[in-house]
Amino acid sequence: MTSRTQRNTKAKREAPKSLDRAAWLMAAWRALARSGVEGVRVEPLASELGVTKGSFYWHFADRAALLDALLEDWERRATAAVIDRVDATSEDPRVRLRELVHFTTSVSEAPDAEHAIRAWGAVDGAARKKLDRVDARREAYVRALLIAAGVDEGVASFRAHVVYLALIGEYARVAHGGARTSLDAWEELLRMTLGPSSPRASSA
Amino acid sequence: MTSRTQRNTKAKREAPKSLDRAAWLMAAWRALARSGVEGVRVEPLASELGVTKGSFYWHFADRAALLDALLEDWERRATAAVIDRVDATSEDPRVRLRELVHFTTSVSEAPDAEHAIRAWGAVDGAARKKLDRVDARREAYVRALLIAAGVDEGVASFRAHVVYLALIGEYARVAHGGARTSLDAWEELLRMTLGPSSPRASSA
DNA sequence: ACCTGAACACCGTTCAAGT
DNA sequence: ACCTGAACACCGTTCAAGT
């Protein structure tokens, strides 16, 4: 409701001296990725930006409003970015699925932020809601890929869910500083996921 | 290094008036499960316990020491509890695996705390280390079950990892307030996991 | 329109002093 | 051995006042 300053097409219409919401947002992203939500504090941000903390309250109602803005920003970018990229690789749903898994598990820019948000969601209701929406869209995309790859619709939902859970799990582990899952393990998951529906193979 | 008060077998040896570490720990657990690490604050805990915050510093060096004690407490209980319980159900590794998945995804006591710790690990190094240790032990257990169930050793490691990732993912989602994964989806995961190694079934 | 400065509340931490 | 009370620092929030 209070977003307006962000849509400056060129960002320096008037005087270059004063800050806008975008400047605070960027600083907040850095802080979030570095040390989680608790790291996003008004006073340190203010001194980083070279203003007093009182100035912050011109752009945002309070700290909660800043955090809200971070979530909005994330939702806008998180879903579309991945899906567009994956769709661009190939028409083959199997290739797309493989690309999705490999891409999302190997990016080294966003994961800190993605993670901070996920951890944040464990504590905060608003973050939780955003997460759920993004998760749902991503999982639906995986399900669509599986169905396009010939997996039975009935079993595709379960498998899409499992694949997405594993991705969430991977993000969680990597965020903890844990080792990344090997490509071999991901390939095994893809093999299982794209395979026939029951332990004993069905006839095509 | 500074744990001593906890091992009172009966917990009321001397005078009932003064608190011990255990009392602070319990209050801290409640706060942690309720609102995450940031919710574990000395002053509110003190008033909840009816003492001044100054008293806290008799039992713990500082807030960090309290958080440390929480992690120790968790590690001691988290691993053994689940494994013992699962081992008690059956000799059949397939039954054990199913029980492990169903049990760990349906407990309604610990998950808040488990979650708070996992979210905490995304930000804090010490929590991260504890998490990694516990994760490693649990995953090794899953791998052992798979191998006992006849899954090839080579592929068992990958599958154990994937299963455990899915469990972590489930915890993460539920902690965000997300819906629990259906039993059907878990059964599908078990089916894939215990199934033959390649898309085309091998002969028994 | 954007910022400063001073004020207040909350909480972590320290420490001398009490019992 | 365990706790109080007062003090200080840090940070969120408000607001009158500046430009």
Side-chain angles (χ1 to χ4, degrees):
Chain A
M1 286 222 172
T2 34
S3 62
R4 202 139 50 79
T5 329
Q6 303 185 78
R7 45 165 64 179
N8 284 357
T9 330
K10 232 50 185 177
K12 49 171 186 173
R13 278 291 180 81
E14 311 268 314
K17 50 171 182 171
S18 54
L19 303 170
D20 54 355
R21 283 174 64 99
W24 283 97
L25 251 192
M26 271 175 41
W29 270 120
R30 267 177 267 128
L32 179 68
R34 198 189 323 121
S35 37
V37 216
E38 339 147 35
V40 184
R41 324 207 84 103
V42 177
E43 194 171 62
L45 249 39
S47 38
E48 187 186 330
L49 291 171
V51 292
T52 63
K53 54 186 173 172
S55 132
F56 168 83
Y57 290 91
W58 173 259
H59 301 285
F60 298 89
D62 50 19
R63 183 170 173 268
L66 211 209
L67 300 183
D68 241 50
L70 285 172
L71 290 178
E72 293 296 336
D73 204 29
W74 179 69
E75 182 179 31
R76 212 169 2 91
R77 297 183 305 186
T79 319
V82 177
I83 293 180
D84 288 354
R85 147 117 196 196
V86 168
D87 280 352
T89 57
S90 165
E91 291 288 319
D92 185 348
R94 287 155 189 273
V95 176
R96 285 185 173 180
L97 186 59
R98 172 167 288 107
E99 173 65 14
L100 174 70
V101 168
H102 288 175
F103 174 64
T104 58
T105 60
S106 65
V107 218
S108 47
E109 324 138 338
D112 283 337
E114 169 102 17
H115 253 112
I117 287 183
R118 208 164 279 282
W120 178 7
V123 171
D124 180 78
R128 188 192 307 158
K129 277 181 69 175
K130 279 280 173 325
L131 262 173
D132 287 345
R133 286 234 291 273
V134 170
D135 282 352
R137 261 187 261 169
R138 288 172 173 176
E139 185 175 322
Y141 179 66
V142 172
R143 187 171 53 236
L145 287 181
L146 288 180
I147 291 172
V151 174
D152 283 351
E153 292 211 12
V155 97
S157 302
F158 303 144
R159 292 188 177 185
H161 190 77
V162 165
V163 168
Y164 193 63
L165 277 188
L167 288 176
I168 293 179
E170 174 72 359
Y171 270 140
R173 295 202 66 208
V174 172
H176 305 156
R180 286 177 190 274
T181 293
S182 69
L183 278 184
D184 287 339
W186 288 120
E187 288 293 338
E188 175 62 20
L189 174 61
L190 289 172
R191 236 174 284 132
M192 293 192 296
T193 301
L194 290 167
S197 294
S198 46
R200 291 169 194 183
S202 59
S203 56
Chain B
M1 283 219 171
T2 35
S3 62
R4 204 139 46 78
T5 331
Q6 303 186 77
R7 44 164 66 180
N8 284 357
T9 330
K10 230 50 187 178
K12 50 169 188 174
R13 278 291 180 79
E14 312 266 314
K17 50 172 180 171
S18 53
L19 303 170
D20 53 356
R21 282 173 64 98
W24 284 97
L25 251 192
M26 271 175 41
W29 270 119
R30 266 176 269 130
L32 179 67
R34 197 189 323 122
S35 37
V37 215
E38 339 146 34
V40 184
R41 324 205 84 102
V42 177
E43 195 172 61
L45 249 37
S47 38
E48 187 187 329
L49 291 171
V51 293
T52 65
K53 55 186 174 174
S55 132
F56 168 84
Y57 291 89
W58 173 258
H59 301 286
F60 298 88
D62 50 18
R63 182 170 172 268
L66 211 209
L67 300 182
D68 241 51
L70 284 173
L71 289 178
E72 293 296 337
D73 203 30
W74 180 68
E75 182 178 31
R76 210 169 3 89
R77 298 182 305 184
T79 320
V82 177
I83 293 180
D84 287 354
R85 146 117 195 197
V86 169
D87 280 350
T89 57
S90 166
E91 292 287 321
D92 185 348
R94 288 155 187 273
V95 176
R96 284 186 174 179
L97 187 58
R98 171 167 288 106
E99 173 65 14
L100 174 68
V101 168
H102 288 174
F103 175 64
T104 58
T105 60
S106 66
V107 220
S108 47
E109 323 139 337
D112 282 337
E114 169 102 16
H115 254 112
I117 287 183
R118 208 163 278 280
W120 179 7
V123 171
D124 180 77
R128 188 191 309 158
K129 277 181 68 175
K130 280 279 173 332
L131 261 173
D132 287 344
R133 286 234 293 272
V134 169
D135 282 352
R137 260 187 261 168
R138 287 172 174 176
E139 185 175 322
Y141 180 67
V142 172
R143 187 169 53 236
L145 286 182
L146 288 179
I147 291 172
V151 174
D152 283 352
E153 292 211 12
V155 97
S157 302
F158 303 144
R159 292 187 177 186
H161 190 76
V162 165
V163 167
Y164 193 63
L165 277 187
L167 288 176
I168 292 179
E170 173 72 1
Y171 270 140
R173 295 203 67 210
V174 172
H176 304 155
R180 287 176 189 274
T181 293
S182 68
L183 278 183
D184 287 340
W186 290 121
E187 288 294 336
E188 176 62 21
L189 174 61
L190 290 171
R191 236 175 283 133
M192 292 192 296
T193 301
L194 291 167
S197 294
S198 46
R200 292 170 196 182
S202 59
S203 55

